[in-house]
Amino acid sequence: MDKLSIVAGSPVFRTLERTQWQAIADAASFRRIEPTADGHLFRYGDLASVLFLIVPTVASREGPVLQVGFGAPITSQSPVGYRLTEGEIAGDVEFLLGGLSERLPPRICSARILRNAAVLTIPAAVLAGIAQTEADFRRRIIRQAAQHLTEIASVHAERRAMHPEVRFATGLLSQLDDFGHIAGNKGIFDHQLKQQDLADNLGISRRLLSLRFSDWSARGLLETVPITLPDVARVERIAGLSPPNVAQNLRVVIENIEDQTARGLLAKASQTAADVLSVFSDNPVVAYQLALISVRLGANKQAKDILAAPMFAWTSSMGDLKDRLRTAWKQSLSLRNGDFPGYDEVAGQALDTLLAARLPMLAIDIGGLHARLSKEMIVAHQPGSPQRRHQALEAARLYREVHEASPNHYCAVNAATLSMLGGQEDEGRALALAASRLVAREPRKYWALASLGEASLVLGERQLAIGHFIAAAAAVDADLTKTTSTRHQLALISAAGGPDTSAELATLNIGDPVFFSGHVMKSNDGTPEELTEAERLLAIEMSGWLEGRKIPAVYMSLACGTDIIFAELVLEAGIPLNVTLPFTVGRFCDLSVAIGNGDDIATDWVARYFACLDQAAIVTELWRYEIRKAEIDYHYLNTNRHLAGETIFAAAALMTRPRMLAVIHPQAAASKAGAKNALAEFVARGFNADVIDARLRRKDSPTAPRGADPFAPMVFAFARSQQDNAEIRRLLDESGFGIRALKDRRIAGHYMPSGFEEAHFTASRLAALAAAAGSSARIICDFGPICGRDGAPSLDDILKLDAAADLTAVAIGNIFATSAFVMREVARGGDPGRYSVVNVSVEPNEDGQERVLRGARQTYKVRES
């Protein structure tokens, strides 16, 4: 393309005469630019005499060419101002500040080169002459330059007001918009992005970027090799926590946590809460939400750590607690979260509009949660023992104190039940009657009806209790989490020596979590007409199976065919969809989704696949690295077993039974990686399953996996600090661990056990030996494809496992396990009760006094034996 055509094609010059185009073209010169280590088109302070027109390219657009920011390239005053691409002009800000004359002031901006391109260098003197006579050109250049100047100023002001966490999230999303795309809620950069380039683009130092990467990686917000955002929605949520609409944004995210909790998405809700606390540190509303979710996840120690904060201390005084909550709320919205005029006023407005309405119930709930944690300890004691009765009465005392400080039916009925379990039946009856009277204030709500049912149970009115629980289940505000909480309470009553509550439990049916495994519909499995008809009939049959059935969650993969058909029906029904893929979203699409598409096929399975991923509650990629072709079927097999484990684990948490739905052809040959084998293994565990005829039979026969199964458990161990290195090295060496040093100079080790039980034995033994030696070790059990064709473990693959990086570097406890390990062990018969979720850490602040809540990548605390 010649210079004249380039000038004529620019929107800024489009209204000029041909002679003027020619004058500009004659004065201009070509210049190639490329993003070298320190590549800038111009820098802050440079003398200015030219403008730059970015030359359009014939190739498809690859993203912006220049990033223009105010000030020097890498300073605290160097936020991203704006980006420019082909056909746009750089250097116009100085042209405007120079009064559209040939005498330009020194550069006030820096323009960093983002990719290979070319520019036309145009002397300011030529444009100044044209601006003197052409009013339309003058208006255009003024409007464009003024807009750029405004963008620089506004972004600079916004970044000063943003919390660093919000600023980092906003910057990453901006980079993703320019250099990547989103697929299934995963942010993928189209070209491998180097960390130094990203640091430069974000206007921060390489060291600060490294610290951010370490933190975000530990929380599951970012993957570093290659750089990807596994959950874009989370990053967008963090980016939204910015001024000036603090009150509105915080209200939305608090309501979002409540909605996720109500739908039973507890892990996601706790993740959201932890993300909010990374910005609004120690916010009492969100921190309480996180503590409550932790209890519901069975992570009682995690909840205790959160409630140990001074703002949550229970002293029997509601007024004192409310004062501390008000103070904590103001501090969480203080100037440390931003620096812009009017922030205190905004914080005060948020306090008035958001906290005031919640404060009375929040104080009661906090006191009640302290009591609930005491109640959870009852079953730790032997049935009928004095210790169990004493624990019941201690929990009753705490509930009674909260009720007396602020009368409410929830604490009153809990105190009644626990008094009954502790042998103080008269006290229990009196409190049950008090709870019944208080219910009159909110007669048709779920918790009121559930309290009536429990009060009737304490009073011995069993039929009346059943009626109240039936009414509670039908209440407008009933949800999965509330019903599960009541079921847990009824089960506790029976387990703690109270009456048999099986009849009451039966009234609160929450359904069964479902594991789905289906039939892949390849494009060559039938004619286009046969495939279309098969899909229609299968959709009708699966829809009929779902109709009227209560399902708290579905766990499945997402291949073309019946997987996607069923997933769409599940999403339409409003059931949480949990998708687990054997490998990355893109690789799975290539191997298991695109094979259903064809020139004559009416549907687009790939588009439907990504639509389902976008709406899924959770998407998990089990392995993000290269896979040997001979091992692909083993990855599919592992995924089916992982999904079975997830379903069994969820059922145990909900105190119900898992169920499977399989879509298979009766005459289809069974393959190790297929639905038929998954069904056989699930039924062999004694669980219920339903089968739907796939109607189409695969034309290609499945082959047995080649080579050895590469999947095996692995035990990792880490010294907590460098001071523990010598002793931990000795113990690891004596226990047969391979030993290495981490980047932070701590000692780490890995050991491949013969199976899951040896993994547990090894971990428990090592933890005990370390404790006896006065040292501190953290042990993490993981599971993955670590063995080669000869069955021997590969160190390269071992170090790709999630636990190899010490996932729980900020978590409290000794022995942990990854989801990969837990779900595979549970699928083969392991006890889900052996594990409790850990996804939050409580760290000491720099002064060693205050404690800071931080999100962590979800792992599981192992009950030591």
Side-chain angles (χ1 to χ4, degrees):
M1 187 180 295
D2 62 82
K3 290 189 290 182
L4 179 62
S5 300
I6 294 169
V7 172
S10 170
V12 176
F13 303 133
R14 194 167 293 160
T15 59
L16 298 180
E17 299 292 334
R18 182 179 179 85
T19 56
Q20 294 168 321
W21 291 342
Q22 189 65 60
I24 296 171
D26 289 343
S29 59
F30 271 111
R31 177 180 168 186
R32 293 283 177 188
I33 58 175
E34 57 184 27
T36 58
D38 194 26
H40 283 78
L41 184 60
F42 54 80
R43 291 173 170 277
Y44 171 80
D46 287 352
L47 296 178
S49 61
V50 296
L51 283 75
F52 303 93
L53 173 61
I54 304 174
V55 176
T57 58
V58 178
S60 60
R61 181 171 168 177
E62 299 178 0
V65 175
L66 297 175
Q67 173 178 293
V68 183
F70 175 78
I74 304 296
T75 71
S76 58
Q77 288 78 40
S78 59
V80 174
Y82 56 90
R83 294 183 176 88
L84 298 174
T85 191
E86 289 99 335
E88 296 186 301
I89 290 180
D92 55 340
V93 171
E94 290 81 9
F95 189 49
L96 174 66
L97 295 177
L100 306 187
S101 72
E102 62 183 280
R103 300 184 59 168
L104 307 185
R107 299 288 183 193
I108 69 166
C109 304
S110 296
R112 187 171 185 277
I113 302 167
L114 301 178
R115 64 179 174 86
N116 292 335
V119 295
L120 276 186
T121 301
I122 305 173
V126 175
L127 299 182
I130 295 173
Q132 299 263 333
T133 59
E134 296 294 332
D136 187 64
F137 168 70
R138 191 165 57 246
R139 283 194 296 269
R140 283 172 179 268
I141 198 75
I142 289 173
R143 184 166 59 246
Q144 175 180 291
Q147 181 181 347
H148 287 160
L149 192 60
T150 301
E151 287 178 9
I152 292 174
S154 63
V155 171
H156 177 57
E158 285 176 8
R159 284 172 64 91
R160 286 189 62 218
M162 285 181 183
H163 185 282
E165 184 88 352
V166 176
R167 187 158 61 241
F168 187 63
T170 303
L172 282 179
L173 291 173
S174 177
Q175 294 294 300
L176 184 63
D177 286 342
D178 290 339
F179 303 114
H181 67 279
I182 299 172
N185 194 37
K186 182 172 184 175
I188 302 168
F189 289 95
D190 296 328
H191 304 288
Q192 190 164 350
L193 198 61
K194 295 179 180 178
Q195 291 193 20
Q196 184 61 60
D197 291 339
L198 183 58
D200 291 342
N201 292 350
L202 295 174
I204 61 177
S205 69
R206 176 71 174 77
R207 180 177 177 278
L208 180 56
L209 181 72
S210 180
L211 292 172
R212 285 280 173 204
F213 267 29
S214 178
D215 176 47
W216 276 42
S217 179
R219 291 159 56 192
L221 279 161
L222 182 139
E223 295 165 4
T224 56
V225 183
I227 300 171
T228 53
L229 303 178
D231 189 342
V232 173
R234 279 184 71 189
V235 181
E236 289 175 335
R237 192 180 298 115
I238 294 171
L241 296 172
S242 58
N245 300 316
V246 177
Q248 178 183 343
N249 295 343
L250 195 52
R251 179 186 293 108
V252 167
V253 79
I254 287 172
E255 290 171 352
N256 186 235
I257 294 168
E258 291 172 339
D259 177 65
Q260 290 172 341
T261 302
R263 295 176 62 206
L265 304 174
L266 299 181
K268 200 170 188 69
S270 65
Q271 200 177 61
T272 303
D275 289 342
V276 176
L277 290 170
S278 70
V279 179
F280 298 108
S281 178
D282 287 335
N283 182 277
V285 174
V286 181
Y288 163 74
Q289 288 180 310
L290 185 55
L292 178 62
I293 295 164
S294 298
V295 172
R296 288 173 171 168
L297 281 167
N300 293 338
K301 186 180 185 306
Q302 182 168 289
K304 288 179 181 177
D305 289 333
I306 297 169
L307 288 183
M311 64 177 171
F312 289 140
W314 173 248
T315 61
S316 304
S317 168
M318 280 291 173
D320 177 53
L321 177 57
K322 289 177 182 177
D323 286 344
R324 279 183 277 114
L325 293 174
R326 289 190 190 96
T327 300
W329 178 273
K330 289 179 180 178
Q331 289 176 343
S332 78
L333 300 175
S334 68
L335 282 169
R336 62 183 172 175
N337 289 313
D339 181 18
F340 67 98
Y343 198 97
D344 286 334
E345 180 182 347
V346 172
Q349 178 188 1
L351 175 67
D352 293 340
T353 59
L354 187 53
L355 181 65
R358 292 175 175 269
L359 193 56
M361 201 63 222
L362 177 63
I364 291 171
D365 288 342
I366 289 168
L369 192 55
H370 279 288
R372 177 170 178 174
L373 286 169
S374 179
K375 176 178 67 177
E376 295 291 332
M377 295 171 63
I378 293 174
V379 292
H381 301 290
Q382 290 295 321
S385 66
Q387 292 85 356
R388 176 171 280 194
R389 288 193 297 273
H390 173 77
Q391 188 65 51
L393 293 176
E394 173 60 17
R397 179 187 68 79
L398 291 171
Y399 273 118
R400 188 169 58 250
E401 280 186 1
V402 181
H403 165 61
E404 290 171 350
S406 182
N408 65 94
H409 61 78
Y410 167 73
C411 290
V413 78
N414 269 282
T417 298
L418 292 163
S419 295
M420 174 191 72
L421 295 175
Q424 296 182 356
E425 295 185 1
D426 290 344
E427 175 75 3
R429 292 179 63 84
L431 286 163
L433 290 170
S436 299
R437 289 192 295 271
L438 288 166
V439 163
R441 301 177 185 176
E442 42 180 312
R444 303 310 304 169
K445 292 187 176 180
Y446 177 88
W447 285 124
L449 292 165
S451 290
L452 271 180
E454 192 172 339
S456 300
L457 189 61
V458 174
L459 294 170
E461 300 167 341
R462 301 297 295 275
Q463 286 304 119
L464 197 58
I466 289 172
H468 289 314
F469 285 125
I470 291 172
V476 175
D477 65 330
D479 61 48
L480 176 62
T481 300
K482 291 175 183 175
T483 309
T484 302
S485 183
T486 304
R487 286 171 59 84
H488 179 83
Q489 176 80 344
L490 291 172
L492 180 68
I493 291 171
S494 294
D500 179 8
T501 58
S502 54
E504 287 81 3
L505 276 168
T507 66
L508 298 168
N509 175 32
I510 58 173
D512 302 327
V514 170
F515 165 34
F516 179 88
S517 187
H519 176 82
V520 176
M521 296 171 66
K522 288 188 174 182
S523 58
N524 62 356
D525 283 347
T527 65
E529 294 75 20
E530 289 173 336
L531 290 167
T532 300
E533 179 64 8
E535 178 180 346
R536 186 184 71 82
L537 295 174
L538 284 166
I540 292 171
E541 193 162 356
M542 288 189 285
S543 180
W545 187 88
L546 285 170
E547 189 174 356
R549 194 182 290 266
K550 285 190 174 182
I551 300 175
V554 169
Y555 298 85
M556 61 184 295
S557 195
L558 207 56
C560 62
T562 57
D563 279 9
I564 291 176
I565 299 168
F566 187 68
E568 290 169 340
L569 294 171
V570 165
L571 290 168
E572 186 179 345
I575 301 168
L577 176 66
N578 300 275
V579 175
T580 297
L581 305 176
F583 10 77
T584 62
V585 166
R587 182 76 186 275
F588 185 81
C589 181
D590 293 340
L591 294 178
S592 300
V593 182
I595 56 175
N597 282 6
D599 294 337
D600 298 324
I601 304 300
T603 191
D604 183 349
W605 291 113
V606 171
R608 292 166 70 177
Y609 165 72
F610 282 108
C612 289
L613 288 177
D614 286 340
Q615 299 174 70
I618 295 174
V619 178
T620 302
E621 299 170 326
L622 293 181
W623 192 248
R624 301 184 300 274
Y625 306 98
E626 286 299 313
I627 299 168
R628 291 179 283 270
K629 187 174 181 180
E631 296 173 355
I632 287 177
D633 278 349
Y634 284 114
H635 281 264
Y636 286 114
L637 172 62
N638 177 64
T639 302
N640 279 336
R641 289 173 174 170
H642 185 99
L643 285 163
E646 285 188 298
T647 312
I648 296 165
F649 195 92
L654 296 170
M655 296 181 300
T656 182
R657 296 277 291 173
R659 178 175 288 274
M660 181 177 182
L661 175 63
V663 179
I664 54 179
H665 193 281
Q667 279 78 50
S671 69
K672 200 75 172 168
K676 209 166 202 178
N677 183 65
L679 173 66
E681 291 186 348
F682 194 79
V683 172
R685 285 287 317 276
F687 299 126
N688 294 326
D690 299 309
V691 179
I692 291 176
D693 189 335
R695 300 181 180 277
L696 286 173
R697 185 173 179 178
R698 289 278 297 277
K699 291 190 175 180
D700 53 340
S701 300
T703 58
R706 292 173 289 167
D709 186 345
F711 285 86
M714 178 62 64
V715 179
F716 293 93
F718 305 88
R720 288 287 191 92
S721 66
Q722 290 183 39
Q723 287 76 14
D724 295 313
N725 274 355
E727 191 59 40
I728 297 303
R729 177 187 283 276
R730 180 184 68 81
L731 293 174
L732 293 178
D733 189 49
E734 292 176 355
S735 302
F737 277 67
I739 300 174
R740 59 193 170 95
L742 301 178
K743 288 182 180 179
D744 60 7
R745 299 182 181 178
R746 287 182 299 132
I747 288 297
H750 54 272
Y751 174 80
M752 182 177 169
S754 59
F756 291 97
E757 285 309 314
E758 190 192 351
H760 283 294
F761 173 80
T762 301
S764 295
R765 179 177 178 275
L766 185 59
L769 290 173
S775 293
S776 192
R778 176 167 36 253
I779 300 128
I780 312 174
C781 299
D782 204 345
F783 184 87
I786 58 174
C787 299
R789 294 176 181 175
D790 58 356
S794 159
L795 181 59
D796 285 345
D797 289 333
I798 288 172
L799 296 182
K800 289 174 183 174
L801 293 178
D802 286 342
D806 193 5
L807 282 179
T808 49
V810 292
I812 297 171
N814 289 321
I815 302 178
F816 300 88
T818 64
S819 176
F821 182 93
V822 172
M823 300 314 161
R824 274 300 300 265
E825 195 205 3
V826 168
R828 65 185 288 277
D831 178 14
R834 195 174 203 169
Y835 305 98
S836 61
V837 170
V838 176
N839 52 18
V840 174
S841 71
V842 183
E843 299 178 81
N845 209 340
E846 292 178 359
D847 57 10
Q849 300 298 317
E850 292 185 31
R851 305 204 300 170
V852 181
L853 298 178
R854 296 176 63 81
R857 191 187 295 264
Q858 180 163 307
T859 53
Y860 295 82
K861 177 76 172 64
V862 180
R863 187 179 68 235
E864 297 176 37
S865 57

